[in-house]
Amino acid sequence: MNHPCESGWEAYRADCARLHPSDQVLENVYDRTIRKNRPRRGLLRPATILAAVALLFVVAAGAVTYQVHRSAWVHPADLSEAESVGFHYPASLGEYVPESMSRLHCAPTGSSDRQALLEPDYCWYSMIYRLDENRSMGIQFGSMDNPLWSEVTETDPDTEVWYPQEPGSENFTRENLQVVEYRGCSICLDDFCQTFPDPEPEGPEKIRDAEAQWLDRESGLWFSVQFYGTLSSSDGYRREVGGVSQEELLGYVRTIVDGQRGQT
Amino acid sequence: MMREDDFVRAAEQYRNMIWRLALHALRSHADADDITQEVLLRLYRSGKDFESEDHLRFWLVRVTVNCCKKVLLSPWRKMEPLEDFQEKLSVLLPERSALFDAVMALPDLYRVPLYLYYYEGYSTEEIGRILRVPRATVATRLHRGRALLRDQWKEEFG
């Protein structure tokens, strides 16, 4: 043992510098602070679906650089923030659910929570518009400059129309795919279907939601819009479907495109 | 409440300091974990506007000391035997100086002032403000703590 009055204190300081709590301590703190303030679970669904689907595609695509870091890093946002990336919410669409506006942080694979939160490479945005008591519409968008949208798409080399990739799971399929041109945008419409192999009693065996995706090259944004059915009060997940048609969805999509062109 | 990014920065930067201080005060890994969580939660909820980094650091040290005092005063708290503590410490620090073990073997009255003085670099006056004791009391505790370490050193190494 070194004499405590001499170099011993240097060794003591070196030992102290190596002391640290377990990572679980910070995880617990974040769970009780920042993550507790996330939007409600049901309202998070579009973003988490987006993250999950994106991850699915990332895995399928193999050699890719980016992925959505963690769905946990979805944070409340406001419309002014979305407007700063070039999004114009069309007033004619009606009022969106204010607390549904959220920001999805994207950071390189292997990033820490801290990096994803403080230094995201880019963000996507998500909001929900309530159509009526039983039906909602999720709107997601992000800059075309950001790489994630291109990872989850397949482009027809002849027409340069963007199609969503196959979901990569037999429980999820895309059916009745069609492309509609509107004001310079190739809008890809389809029915996104989820099959329940073991449906609950009186529950649906298959739910079908119209969805649309398009690139708005004029505003430089990527868009994705989906319908949602009734949110169950028990777990926040939908159990019934309003049977929304692609035609009805296209009407809302046109309103959004018009909004981007300054026609609200 | 604090802004999220400010809070994450502070939590990342000061979690080790809080934990080290709590470990010195309570000599228990589990209690140090609890105190670290408690102090960071208080920071998040405080909504305080800190004038500087030093102000934030001082506030965290003060709150940590107060939280530790509460734990020490708890009637149901059971002191962990020193041997058990050292056994657990060996997982985190398999190789460490004998002085570190000697400091941790001191009564808590001396451990915290020694840690604040020799590791955190606070002056006796600042430690007095942290512990809410006169500066002279801090100086006495440091002196006695060092004397106990010297006695132990002589005992073990002649």
Side-chain angles (χ1 to χ4, degrees):
Chain A
M1 178 179 175
N2 296 315
H3 192 283
C5 294
E6 297 164 1
S7 61
W9 288 112
E10 278 305 316
Y12 166 79
R13 278 190 279 270
D15 290 337
C16 284
R18 288 153 60 205
L19 291 171
H20 58 82
S22 69
D23 291 340
Q24 195 58 42
V25 169
L26 264 195
E27 285 294 311
N28 291 344
V29 169
Y30 290 156
D31 281 343
R32 292 171 66 181
T33 54
I34 295 169
R35 290 173 193 151
K36 192 174 128 186
N37 296 325
R38 286 180 301 166
R40 283 181 286 133
R41 186 182 175 194
L43 299 178
L44 264 179
R45 194 151 185 269
T48 48
I49 286 175
L50 199 64
V53 171
L55 281 173
L56 202 63
F57 291 145
V58 163
V59 171
V64 292
T65 314
Y66 290 93
Q67 67 179 31
V68 174
H69 178 60
R70 282 176 68 160
S71 60
W73 293 102
V74 176
H75 281 261
D78 57 44
L79 197 55
S80 62
E81 195 179 323
E83 284 170 349
S84 71
V85 298
F87 176 69
H88 303 290
Y89 185 79
S92 57
L93 201 58
E95 194 177 347
Y96 69 97
V97 182
E99 69 267 37
S100 71
M101 186 79 197
S102 53
R103 184 187 341 122
L104 188 66
H105 287 235
C106 302
T109 306
S111 301
S112 65
D113 281 353
R114 182 182 180 278
Q115 188 177 353
L117 178 68
L118 299 179
E119 301 153 3
D121 272 16
Y122 56 91
C123 295
W124 277 7
Y125 294 88
S126 172
M127 60 166 66
I128 288 180
Y129 165 59
R130 189 86 70 202
L131 301 177
D132 54 41
E133 195 181 337
N134 293 328
R135 299 179 308 163
S136 307
M137 185 169 74
I139 306 172
Q140 287 93 45
F141 55 91
S143 170
M144 281 171 59
D145 294 335
N146 298 331
L148 193 53
W149 70 269
S150 63
E151 304 289 358
V152 297
T153 64
E154 284 175 354
T155 310
D156 183 324
D158 296 327
T159 61
E160 291 192 350
V161 170
W162 167 66
Y163 295 95
Q165 284 187 6
E166 281 302 311
S169 164
E170 59 181 18
N171 293 332
F172 294 94
T173 55
R174 286 194 163 90
E175 299 174 3
N176 305 324
L177 196 136
Q178 61 164 326
V179 177
V180 175
E181 298 293 330
Y182 184 69
R183 301 189 77 165
C185 300
S186 298
I187 296 154
C188 184
L189 292 147
D190 64 73
D191 293 329
F192 191 80
C193 304
Q194 182 179 4
T195 306
F196 295 96
D198 186 18
E200 294 172 10
E202 301 175 9
E205 290 183 21
K206 186 175 190 176
I207 58 171
R208 179 188 296 273
D209 290 323
E211 64 173 9
Q213 287 119 358
W214 71 96
L215 301 179
D216 189 334
R217 295 181 193 280
E218 198 170 301
S219 58
L221 293 180
W222 169 93
F223 282 92
S224 174
V225 174
Q226 303 87 26
F227 268 110
Y228 298 107
T230 309
L231 290 175
S232 161
S233 58
S234 60
D235 65 0
Y237 280 76
R238 59 189 163 177
R239 283 290 176 267
E240 304 295 334
V241 174
V244 176
S245 67
Q246 289 188 12
E247 193 180 346
E248 189 181 353
L249 177 64
L250 185 58
Y252 290 109
V253 169
R254 284 177 172 146
T255 305
I256 293 170
V257 175
D258 290 344
Q260 289 301 109
R261 302 289 182 278
Q263 293 180 0
T264 59
Chain B
M1 280 186 290
M2 277 185 100
R3 273 171 38 136
E4 284 182 5
D5 50 354
D6 287 342
F7 173 68
V8 172
R9 275 197 194 93
E12 295 278 351
Q13 189 171 344
Y14 293 109
R15 62 177 163 162
N16 291 355
M17 180 195 76
I18 297 166
W19 196 82
R20 281 191 293 257
L21 177 53
L23 189 78
H24 276 76
L26 303 172
R27 213 165 58 191
S28 157
H29 287 66
D31 286 342
D33 279 355
D34 290 346
I35 293 291
T36 306
Q37 289 185 35
E38 171 70 20
V39 172
L40 291 175
L41 288 172
R42 284 193 188 196
L43 173 67
Y44 184 73
R45 292 167 188 152
S46 71
K48 274 186 78 72
D49 195 13
F50 294 99
E51 295 159 12
S52 63
E53 206 61 29
D54 282 346
H55 183 204
L56 168 62
R57 184 166 171 257
F58 193 84
W59 186 89
L60 287 168
V61 170
R62 279 278 310 134
V63 173
T64 305
V65 166
N66 285 344
C67 289
C68 291
K69 275 182 188 168
K70 274 190 184 174
V71 172
L72 285 168
L73 291 172
S74 301
W76 53 83
R77 182 171 189 266
K78 207 173 148 189
M79 274 292 286
E80 193 174 50
L82 184 59
E83 295 73 30
D84 290 359
F85 166 73
Q86 283 174 335
E87 200 176 307
K88 285 178 190 164
L89 191 64
S90 296
V91 178
L92 192 61
L93 293 182
E95 289 176 14
R96 58 189 184 276
S97 66
L99 180 56
F100 183 86
D101 278 348
V103 170
M104 294 310 284
L106 291 174
D108 57 87
L109 197 62
Y110 306 118
R111 289 197 303 267
V112 172
L114 284 169
Y115 168 78
L116 291 172
Y117 186 82
Y118 283 105
Y119 188 80
E120 294 296 343
Y122 282 114
S123 66
T124 49
E125 189 161 339
E126 287 168 323
I127 296 170
R129 275 165 43 215
I130 290 167
L131 302 178
R132 297 271 165 88
V133 294
R135 191 196 66 79
T137 306
V138 175
T140 304
R141 288 181 189 174
L142 285 173
H143 176 75
R144 286 185 184 158
R146 282 190 295 253
L148 284 169
L149 289 171
R150 264 195 303 272
D151 290 347
Q152 196 177 330
W153 183 75
K154 277 179 195 162
E155 229 175 72
E156 286 189 29
F157 301 97

